[in-house]
Amino acid sequence: MTTENKSYALPIAMMFALFFMIAFVTGLPSPMGVIVAKQFGASNFESQLGFLGNFLAYAFMGIPAGIMLKKWGYKVTALAAIAVGFVGVSVQFFSGQVGLFAVYLIGTFISGFSMCMLNTVVNPMLNTLGGGGNSGNKLLQFGGSINSIGATITPMLVGWLMGAEAGRTIEKANPALFLALGIFALAFVVLSFVKIPEPHKETAAERKVKHSHSPLSFRHFVFGAIAIFIYVGIEIGIPSTANLFMTAQTTATNPGLGIEATLAGSIVGFYWLLMLVGRLTGGVLGSKISSKTMLVTVSTLGLLFILLAIFIPTSVTITLPFLLIKVPISIAFLVLCGLCTSIMWGGIFNLAVEGLGKYTAAASGIFMVMVMGGGIVPLVQGWVSDNFGYINSYWVMFACLAYMLWYALVGCKNVNKDIPVE
């Protein structure tokens, strides 16, 4: 590591910590969906509304977050995001005290504002500190690895806290919510004392300059923004629907597996654990293998896993390592998709902002708007699962992965190199 990189060690570490927070809070609606399905009698569609509340906030906050980043810089934007996140998780805790589904949804919406602002900070910051290109992708993959640790812990912890189905209420998840509040409080204090470079903070003179173009002037960015919308839906939809499938009881119209919530949460945790493995691997290989090659590979593999999960009968089982329980092999293939989704975010971001120059900060804000796909795509999958069954709902994921492959092969090419970006 060079001397310059060493001087950025603390800011990089802080960005990694924020990645953890994003994953932990964003992952809460998955196990909480199982809780509200029991406590409030919610359908599969309604149980995914927590994700919708969380990610819909991105549609409202994405552009303002990009403006905040340019006007006030990374540090102020991150501190504001942490404060908002503390409020959002507090409201989710309060929903358990009053027993109202609507209050829970309001909490997820407020939390979504925080996650949007944090994502607007950490992605361009890490890409910039890494120097862009393959090196920037490498740092994003390592940051994503920390993200996966938080995502792995969340379903396992809340699944363990749920206990028996009969007593499943939001209050059972309080220790996880308290942990999230503690993380927010600690991060706010630490970040207050950390000096962070501000490469994209505009001066007063720069804010008066009117640019003739925007990130939307670049075709590869537009397709990349759509890819982000779809990707977040894939990342959330695969494990969330699998969790519902495993914990649901068999009905005449929609057979479930009836697996105990603690075990189901642990199985879903393996999905996020494999994302950690994939991101660590991607971090190691990121400076040697292009983002395009990595994205083509994992998209193709993901399509294969989804097809196998759909067509192999649930009567064919496999014993999962470590947990030593038998589950349909289709569940195992869905869990393996974690290896595929692991590096997609960093790869898409890296490809989509390549060559954007001064438009990078604004591009990050637009990206955050498109993260709302994490609420909309799982909602669509939830509706399909209500009407056509859990397994058939994965055709939604297949179509999404097909787009990812197209973007990696064709859509990521920068055909607007004539636009000045300095």
Side-chain angles (χ1 to χ4, degrees):
M1 183 176 290
T2 65
T3 302
E4 182 181 8
N5 286 337
K6 286 183 180 178
S7 67
Y8 288 150
L10 194 54
I12 289 173
M14 197 65 244
M15 294 304 108
F16 284 174
L18 294 180
F19 254 126
F20 179 91
M21 294 170 61
I22 291 168
F24 191 90
V25 177
T26 301
L28 281 174
S30 179
M32 293 287 277
V34 177
I35 290 177
V36 299
K38 170 63 181 178
Q39 184 173 355
F40 302 111
S43 66
N44 293 327
F45 176 86
E46 292 168 336
S47 70
Q48 300 301 296
L49 289 176
F51 280 121
L52 180 64
N54 197 309
F55 287 106
L56 190 60
Y58 284 75
F60 294 92
M61 195 62 203
I63 300 299
I67 295 173
M68 287 179 64
L69 183 62
K70 290 191 292 182
K71 187 174 182 179
W72 292 311
Y74 289 111
K75 185 171 181 176
V76 172
T77 304
L79 287 173
I82 293 169
V84 172
F86 190 92
V87 173
V89 175
S90 296
V91 172
Q92 290 185 60
F93 162 75
F94 182 67
S95 72
Q97 307 303 303
V98 297
L100 292 176
F101 185 45
V103 176
Y104 163 71
L105 293 180
I106 292 172
T108 64
F109 186 69
I110 296 173
S111 295
F113 276 96
S114 172
M115 299 306 102
C116 175
M117 294 162 70
L118 287 178
N119 264 311
T120 305
V121 170
V122 299
N123 289 284
M125 184 81 250
L126 281 181
N127 196 51
T128 299
L129 292 176
N134 285 356
S135 297
N137 182 39
K138 177 180 179 180
L139 205 53
L140 281 169
Q141 298 304 339
F142 278 127
S145 300
I146 306 300
N147 184 277
S148 294
I149 293 174
T152 301
I153 290 174
T154 306
M156 289 184 172
L157 175 61
V158 180
W160 177 76
L161 291 171
M162 279 187 215
E165 182 177 2
R168 199 171 294 163
T169 63
I170 291 178
E171 289 186 347
K172 289 290 186 72
N174 280 352
L177 300 179
F178 293 153
L179 176 61
L181 291 172
I183 294 171
F184 274 123
L186 179 62
F188 188 93
V189 173
V190 173
L191 185 60
S192 299
F193 296 97
V194 172
K195 185 177 181 180
I196 294 179
E198 301 285 358
H200 296 123
K201 186 177 181 180
E202 292 182 333
T203 63
E206 288 173 333
R207 284 196 290 271
K208 294 179 181 179
V209 177
K210 300 297 181 182
H211 298 299
S212 57
H213 296 88
S214 75
L216 297 177
S217 302
F218 297 83
R219 193 191 75 166
H220 74 291
F221 171 76
V222 173
F223 288 145
I226 296 171
I228 284 292
F229 178 95
I230 291 172
Y231 159 69
V232 183
I234 296 171
E235 179 188 301
I236 298 297
I238 289 176
S240 181
T241 300
N243 202 3
L244 290 170
F245 182 28
M246 286 187 286
T247 55
Q249 301 298 321
T250 296
T251 65
T253 57
N254 203 358
L257 299 179
I259 297 176
E260 202 272 324
T262 303
L263 290 175
S266 297
I267 294 169
V268 171
F270 269 101
Y271 169 91
W272 298 105
L273 185 61
L274 288 177
M275 284 191 69
L276 170 61
V277 173
R279 283 169 171 168
L280 286 173
T281 304
V284 172
L285 300 177
S287 59
K288 302 174 183 178
I289 301 176
S290 71
S291 299
K292 179 175 182 176
T293 300
M294 293 169 72
L295 194 55
V296 168
T297 302
V298 296
S299 297
T300 303
L301 196 59
L303 286 168
L304 176 62
F305 286 155
I306 292 295
L307 283 176
L308 290 170
I310 291 173
F311 285 109
I312 296 178
T314 55
S315 58
V316 180
T317 61
I318 186 174
T319 301
L320 293 178
F322 304 111
L323 295 178
L324 300 178
I325 62 169
K326 283 188 175 182
V327 297
I329 197 169
S330 56
I331 293 295
F333 282 119
L334 294 177
V335 169
L336 285 173
C337 286
L339 287 172
C340 305
T341 56
S342 61
I343 63 171
M344 286 183 175
W345 174 278
I348 297 167
F349 188 92
N350 183 260
L351 289 170
V353 302
E354 196 68 26
L356 262 59
K358 63 185 177 184
Y359 300 109
T360 300
S364 183
I366 295 173
F367 263 143
M368 291 311 103
V369 173
M370 301 308 286
V371 169
M372 66 181 176
I376 295 174
V377 175
L379 201 64
V380 172
Q381 189 182 10
W383 179 87
V384 174
S385 69
D386 278 330
N387 291 276
F388 302 99
Y390 292 104
I391 289 297
N392 285 329
S393 74
Y394 279 93
W395 283 113
V396 176
M397 298 293 99
F398 182 86
C400 291
L401 284 164
Y403 178 87
M404 301 298 296
L405 180 59
W406 174 85
Y407 179 70
L409 290 171
V410 180
C412 67
K413 184 179 180 181
N414 184 1
V415 298
N416 303 107
K417 294 183 178 180
D418 56 320
I419 299 176
V421 296
E422 298 301 327

